[in-house]
């Protein structure tokens, strides 16, 4: 019998200390007119200032897929900071968008990181009028071609929920593009989309159409967070379903579901990257025991628990997530003395 101790960080809300990473300030103009008029009308209903701000920063960058030769105008948030170190690249979870990062991304930029947020192919706000395949291979190729065209340096790749499976799949297939992994409430042990991949196409479309049904989205939001006030839950539900209103969303999601989805559980031991595992103590979507299992199966990982937090810590506890990421990256850069969390680990280890 052995005991794995997870460390929690008490972090004040608001301003994080700026790191010692050398940065230069850049400004990228973005206009919400990259969205269709009907979607803009829905976005105008959103009152959350952080969501509105991030919407105003979303841009479309062309990415040509090597698999299908489709040219995808890809929705992303470009950095306001250029850093001499490796950039943070933020993915999102299943059927979501870069708006997941509306609270945490500004804190990471404030800490001095060059930070990108990218919509995974088939989800988010990318223009898919010339609809490509949206299976795992295409999603991987899309991220690689984006990296090859615009980032061009090893990434600190951040994957929440199913985005963790996407990050692991990418790191195994393109190790030259990934420096470190940061996995948040990782959903990496599901056997793909299971029996859903065997549904007749008409039934699959009917099932997928339910995913944008407001009551179902509201239920999912309530399940994903801890003690969320009703008004906040409604607002976050509206933000989470914005991308579902795009005309190609259903077909892209059905294509992913029918393809079998991500199945990376047997590949986890192939990951050699240094990794940070973050999970919310009260996750009701992914069993928290799976975070501990992932920590055991990754050869070079540390694990951090966030108390009183559900499945989406970067929305629910952005200050803590930003601080944990900052600490993780800083400890790799500065080896002169142990970080606060490392000192806590040493004290706890001596007591075991």
């Amino acid at each position: 019998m052995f005991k794995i101790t997870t460390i929690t960080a008490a972090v004040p809300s608001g301003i994080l200390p700026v790191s010692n990473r050398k940065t230069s300030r850049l400004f990228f103009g973005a206009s919400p007119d990259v969205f269709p008029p009907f979607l803009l009308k829905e976005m105008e209903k959103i009152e959350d200032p952080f969501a509105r701000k991030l919407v105003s920063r979303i841009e479309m960058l062309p990415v040509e897929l090597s698999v299908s030769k489709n040219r995808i105008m890809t929705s992303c948030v470009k950095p306001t900071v250029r850093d001499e170190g490796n950039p943070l690249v933020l993915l999102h979870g299943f059927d979501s968008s870069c708006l997941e990062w509306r609270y945490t991304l500004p804190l990471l930029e404030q800490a001095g990181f060059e930070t990108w947020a990218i919509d995974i192919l088939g989800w988010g706000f990318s223009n898919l009028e010339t609809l490509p395949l949206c299976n795992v291979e295409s999603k991987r190729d899309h991220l690689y071609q984006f990296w090859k065209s615009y980032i061009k340096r090893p990434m600190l790749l951040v994957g929440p929920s199913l985005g963790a499976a996407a990050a692991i799949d990418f790191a195994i297939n393109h190790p030259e593009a990934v420096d470190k992994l940061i996995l948040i409430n990782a959903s990496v042990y599901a056997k793909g989309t299971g029996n859903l991949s065997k549904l007749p196409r008409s039934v699959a479309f009917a099932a997928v159409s339910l995913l944008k049904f407001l009551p179902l989205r509201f239920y999912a939001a309530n399940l994903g967070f801890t003690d969320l006030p009703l008004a906040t839950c409604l607002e976050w539900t509206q933000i989470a379903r914005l991308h579902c209103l795009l005309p190609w969303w259903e077909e892209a999601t059905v294509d992913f579901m029918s393809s079998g989805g991500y199945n990376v559980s047997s590949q986890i031991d192939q990951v050699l990257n240094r990794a940070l595992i973050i999970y919310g103590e009260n996750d009701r979507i992914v069993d928290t025991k799976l975070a501990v299992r992932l920590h055991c199966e990754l050869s070079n990982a540390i694990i951090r628990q966030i108390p009183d937090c559900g499945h989406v810590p970067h929305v629910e506890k952005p200050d803590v997530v930003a601080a944990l990421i900052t600490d993780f990256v800083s400890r790799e850069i500065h080896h002169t003395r142990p970080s606060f969390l490392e000192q806590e680990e040493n004290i706890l280890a001596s007591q075991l």
Side-chain angles (χ1 to χ4, degrees):
M1 179 66 68
F2 63 93
K3 179 179 179 182
I4 296 178
T5 304
T6 60
I7 313 299
T8 59
V11 183
S13 299
I15 297 176
L16 287 173
V18 177
S19 73
N20 292 325
R21 296 156 69 93
K22 295 180 181 178
T23 61
S24 61
R25 210 62 169 162
L26 295 178
F27 294 93
F28 297 89
S31 171
D33 64 7
V34 298
F35 302 105
F38 72 88
L39 191 56
L40 280 176
K41 290 180 181 178
E42 293 299 316
M43 290 175 168
E44 283 300 318
K45 299 175 184 177
I46 302 298
E47 297 181 0
D48 185 328
F50 293 91
R52 294 176 69 91
K53 176 64 176 178
L54 203 59
V55 162
S56 74
R57 289 183 55 187
I58 292 176
E59 299 184 45
M60 300 291 184
L61 298 180
V63 174
E64 183 172 316
L65 304 182
S66 66
V67 175
S68 62
K69 301 303 180 183
N70 289 65
R71 187 172 182 266
I72 305 299
M73 294 305 295
T74 301
S75 48
C76 66
V77 177
K78 292 167 67 175
T80 58
V81 167
R82 285 296 194 193
D83 187 359
E84 64 180 13
N86 291 334
L88 280 168
V89 176
L90 311 176
L91 304 180
H92 54 74
F94 170 75
D95 190 25
S96 186
S97 76
C98 59
L99 292 182
E100 275 188 22
W101 293 99
R102 58 192 178 273
Y103 302 130
T104 303
L105 185 147
L107 295 175
L108 293 170
E109 290 184 327
Q110 188 177 341
F113 293 108
E114 178 181 334
T115 308
W116 297 74
I118 302 172
D119 280 337
I120 295 173
L121 180 70
W123 298 313
F125 302 103
S126 297
N127 188 322
L128 301 182
E129 286 183 292
T130 55
L131 189 70
L133 292 174
C134 291
N135 56 23
V136 168
E137 183 184 8
S138 292
K139 290 179 189 291
R140 181 196 311 136
D141 180 49
H142 175 257
L143 180 56
Y144 178 72
Q145 298 304 328
F146 188 103
W147 172 81
K148 186 177 177 181
S149 298
Y150 301 107
I151 299 175
K152 304 176 183 179
R153 287 171 288 154
M155 302 177 285
L156 309 170
L157 189 58
V158 186
S161 193
L162 192 67
I168 286 174
D169 172 81
F170 188 83
I172 291 170
N173 285 278
H174 297 290
E176 74 282 5
V178 180
D179 178 14
K180 298 175 184 64
L181 291 171
I182 299 167
L183 309 174
I184 303 175
N185 288 71
S187 177
V188 295
Y189 290 106
K191 302 298 182 183
T193 54
N195 290 330
L196 293 175
S197 64
K198 302 174 183 177
L199 291 176
R201 198 160 178 83
S202 59
V203 178
F205 270 97
V208 164
S209 67
L210 292 175
L211 290 176
K212 64 179 175 183
F213 189 47
L214 190 58
L216 183 61
R217 285 273 172 172
F218 178 81
Y219 172 76
N222 191 56
L223 194 66
F225 299 100
T226 303
D227 298 326
L228 204 60
L230 177 61
T232 303
C233 192
L234 284 170
E235 175 95 294
W236 289 3
T237 299
Q238 295 285 9
I239 294 169
R241 71 187 288 270
L242 282 171
H243 68 283
C244 300
L245 305 177
L246 291 166
W248 44 78
W249 168 79
E250 285 187 8
E251 190 167 351
T253 304
V254 167
D255 188 69
F256 170 75
M257 187 172 72
S258 300
S259 72
Y262 285 99
N263 187 354
V264 300
S265 59
S266 63
Q267 300 173 292
I268 290 171
D269 61 359
Q270 298 177 35
V271 176
L272 302 177
N273 308 76
R274 180 75 168 151
L276 167 65
I277 301 166
I278 299 172
Y279 72 100
E281 177 187 28
N282 300 328
D283 190 344
R284 293 181 288 177
I285 294 177
V286 175
D287 192 331
T288 56
K289 293 178 182 177
L290 294 179
V292 178
R293 176 181 169 184
L294 181 60
H295 180 233
C296 293
E297 293 183 4
L298 287 173
S299 61
N300 193 12
I302 59 174
I303 185 168
R304 300 288 178 255
Q305 180 198 78
I306 301 178
D308 301 317
C309 184
H311 183 65
V312 197
H314 49 297
V315 176
E316 193 171 354
K317 298 287 181 92
D319 50 346
V320 179
V321 171
L324 290 173
I325 291 174
T326 300
D327 184 83
F328 173 67
V329 177
S330 297
R331 74 167 62 198
E332 303 298 319
I333 297 173
H334 307 292
H335 300 288
T336 53
R337 64 177 186 173
S339 70
F340 168 74
L341 291 177
E342 287 176 314
Q343 293 176 46
E344 278 196 341
E345 284 182 309
N346 292 336
I347 294 170
L348 287 167
S350 67
Q351 296 173 349
L352 295 179

